[in-house]
Amino acid sequence: MKTSAVSLDDLAGVFAVPPLARRADAARTLDYEQNQRLARHIVAGGITRLLYGGNAFFYHLTLPEFEWVLGWLGGFDETVWAIPSIGPSFGRAMDQARLLAQARFPTAMLLPCSDPRDAAGLEHGIRELAAVAGTPLVVYLKEEDNFGRNREAGLDAVARLVDSGIVCAIKYAVVRPNPADDPYLDALLERVDRRRVVSGMGERPAVVHMRDCALPGFTTGSGCVAPTLSQSLFLAASRRDWVEAERIRAGFMPLEDVRDALGPARVLHAAVDAAGIASTGPIPPFVTALDDAQRARTSVLARTLADAESLQHRGARA
């Protein structure tokens, strides 16, 4: 597992955001073998940045499960950058930060909080969490009010955290009908180095964010099914071949449309299973699994994307 400090070069790439596989037992035990299978599939496709957060239902991990995941991720070799998530509440994040302090992770992502909060309070809390964990954090901006209702104060707080080294990167995932028209992102990029802001909504806005905003990379959920394709999209965008990047991106949109319609995490959980990559098993409360009709729809799209991945992978090896 990568243990060196996070550099700007580290942020230029694709960050896979995988689900966590569980056994179908009464405790929904985390499944080492199936999680290993999924991680190996992603890395074999060229993606070595693994971010475990919303798609892995980190919001609902017990503390013993979190400790198990830290031990598992810590066993990856040095070519893999594994990033766990903490939070979203301060108390929960603090308990997890104490466990992080015993490990060697170069960063962890703080999940977005929807509980009572304001910019000054969050800034103070993040500084405390980073101090206890002994590592800088990744901030996840999912809504404009994640740092409180005062937008300007929130952005200023984020900028101070970045400038002081408390925050090493930002996962930006505020959904827009047109990602090219995003005043909030513009205001953020006026305050922080854009090389520290990663597009955080999968392939849908990735081309626009890399082309128009010069963001260094993007996260992917569907890329857990098709990592070679997702990495190829990144490489095309990096060499500014926007036609090729858009062509690859289009292949992800059918599954991404279903993820947006039915819930990104639970659809991805089912898609990885349906594609035959890993048996992901049940998902934890408070989220329900897809019903039969939804799963059937997801399965067709997941297998179609997996077939395209196989073709791309064979082409890359030829």
Side-chain angles (χ1 to χ4, degrees):
M1 180 191 75
K2 167 185 161 63
T3 57
S4 57
V6 178
S7 69
L8 290 174
D9 288 343
D10 291 329
L11 301 175
V14 185
F15 293 74
V17 189
L20 268 180
R22 293 174 177 268
R23 296 191 182 97
D25 56 26
R28 295 177 292 270
T29 310
L30 293 171
D31 191 321
Y32 174 85
E33 180 181 348
Q34 297 304 317
N35 283 305
Q36 282 286 97
R37 283 186 61 181
L38 176 54
R40 284 196 298 266
H41 170 77
I42 295 168
V43 172
I47 299 177
T48 58
R49 298 162 177 83
L50 305 181
L51 171 59
Y52 286 84
N55 288 338
F57 297 106
F58 256 58
Y59 293 88
H60 303 312
L61 288 186
T62 66
L63 203 57
E65 287 175 337
F66 179 78
E67 190 169 15
W68 183 96
V69 172
L70 293 188
W72 170 57
L73 296 180
F76 290 173
D77 69 43
E78 65 276 3
T79 65
V80 176
W81 181 15
I83 307 170
S85 294
I86 62 173
S89 70
F90 176 76
R92 180 177 184 80
M94 186 60 78
D95 288 340
Q96 293 168 327
R98 294 187 182 101
L99 294 174
L100 276 172
Q102 302 170 28
R104 300 179 63 198
F105 291 88
T107 190
M109 184 174 74
L110 179 61
L111 294 166
C113 178
S114 59
D115 294 329
R117 66 210 180 279
D118 56 53
L122 274 167
E123 182 178 356
H124 177 72
I126 289 171
R127 290 180 183 276
E128 278 196 35
L129 289 168
V132 170
T135 186
L137 300 176
V138 176
V139 163
Y140 184 177
L141 292 180
K142 191 174 178 64
E143 305 288 347
E144 285 195 26
D145 66 352
N146 281 151
F147 262 71
R149 294 182 180 179
N150 186 325
R151 193 187 81 161
E152 300 303 312
L155 290 171
D156 289 343
V158 171
R160 286 191 294 271
L161 289 166
V162 172
D163 290 344
S164 64
I166 300 297
V167 166
C168 62
I170 297 163
K171 180 180 186 287
Y172 184 81
V174 179
V175 177
R176 303 295 186 197
N178 176 6
D181 181 15
D182 191 342
Y184 185 66
L185 177 57
D186 293 341
L188 174 66
L189 297 179
E190 290 173 357
R191 290 168 167 83
V192 303
D193 187 337
R194 66 188 63 234
R195 294 176 296 174
R196 294 197 179 276
V197 181
V198 174
S199 176
M201 292 168 282
E203 285 74 14
R204 187 178 300 281
V207 174
V208 169
H209 279 166
M210 290 189 71
R211 182 188 64 211
D212 299 352
C213 303
L215 300 192
F218 59 91
T219 65
T220 180
S222 293
C224 296
V225 174
T228 305
L229 283 169
S230 194
Q231 178 70 3
S232 296
L233 191 162
F234 169 77
L235 293 174
S238 296
R239 64 177 181 266
R240 304 186 67 80
D241 186 348
W242 306 118
V243 172
E244 176 66 1
E246 287 285 7
R247 183 193 68 78
I248 299 170
R249 172 189 171 277
F252 284 94
M253 288 306 98
L255 183 57
E256 286 293 285
D257 287 343
V258 174
R259 292 185 68 214
D260 288 344
L262 302 179
R266 67 192 194 121
V267 169
L268 182 62
H269 197 90
V272 166
D273 193 294
I277 298 163
S279 177
T280 48
I283 56 179
F286 298 136
V287 183
T288 57
L290 301 182
D291 63 31
D292 290 344
Q294 293 168 338
R295 187 174 181 85
R297 180 183 176 193
T298 296
S299 296
V300 170
L301 297 174
R303 288 194 292 267
T304 298
L305 184 58
D307 289 344
E309 167 74 3
S310 295
L311 290 172
Q312 179 74 13
H313 192 59
R314 286 197 294 270
R317 294 173 60 186

